Amino acid sequence: MAATLLAAPEEHASPLIPHDYELVVGIFAFAVVFFVVGRILVPRIQKTLAERTDAIEGGIKRAEEAQAQAQDLQRQFQAKLEEGRREAARLREEAREQAAQIKAELREEAQAEARRLVEAAHAQIEADRQAAFAQLRTEIGRLSTELAGRIVGESLEDEARQSRIVDRFLDELETSDAQAVR
C-alpha cells in the first residue's frame, strides 16, 4: 500500500496539498527572503523612516522656530513702529512749540518795531512842531516889528530892542493861550 501511495500520489493527489520537495524549497526560500528582508531591508527601511521622521520633526521644529522668530520679529517691529509713532508725535509737538515760540518772537519784534516807528514819528512831529514854532516865532517877530514901526511911526531897526519887543509879545501871547486853555 505504501508503494501505491508513492506511485499514485500524482494521480490521486489533492491540489491543495503541496509535494514534499515544494515544501522544503518553499521553506528554504521563505527563510532566505525572511533573512534578507529582516537583516538587510528592514534596517534600511527603519533607517529611512527614522530619517524621514527626523526630517519631518526637524522641519516641524524648524517651522516652529521660524514661526517663533517671525513672531519675535513682529513684536520687535510693532515695538519699533510704536516707538516711531511716539517719536513722530514728540517731534510734531516740538515743532508746534517752536512755531508758537517763533510766532511770539515775531509778534514781539513787530510790536517793538511798531513802537519804535511810533516813537520816531512822534519825535519827527515834535521836531517839525518846534521848527514850525521857531519859524512862526521869527515870522511873527518880523511882522510885529514892522507893524509896531508903522504904528509908532519910527523904525525899530535896533536888533536888541526888536528882540525884546518880540519876546515880550510872544510871552504875553503864550500866557493868554495858557489861560484860555484852562
Side-chain angles (χ1 to χ4, degrees), residues 77-87:
F77 175 75
Q78 290 294 335
K80 286 187 180 187
L81 182 64
E82 186 61 32
E83 181 181 332
R85 286 180 182 155
R86 284 192 302 271
E87 182 69 18

Side-chain angles (χ1 to χ4, degrees), residues 77-107:
F77 175 75
Q78 290 294 335
K80 286 187 180 187
L81 182 64
E82 186 61 32
E83 181 181 332
R85 286 180 182 155
R86 284 192 302 271
E87 182 69 18
R90 184 186 63 79
L91 289 175
R92 279 193 303 269
E93 187 60 33
E94 283 180 8
R96 284 188 194 118
E97 290 172 1
Q98 287 177 353
Q101 183 180 6
I102 289 170
K103 187 177 178 182
E105 288 173 1
L106 290 175
R107 185 178 294 133

Side-chain angles (χ1 to χ4, degrees), residues 114-154:
R115 280 192 301 272
R116 188 188 63 76
L117 289 174
V118 167
E119 289 171 1
H122 284 300
Q124 183 64 37
I125 291 170
E126 184 61 28
D128 290 345
R129 190 178 74 77
Q130 291 295 333
F133 186 71
Q135 184 180 6
L136 196 60
R137 186 177 186 119
T138 305
E139 187 64 29
I140 288 175
R142 187 184 62 75
L143 289 174
S144 298
T145 308
E146 199 178 294
L147 184 63
R150 285 186 188 166
I151 292 174
V152 173
E154 71 181 75

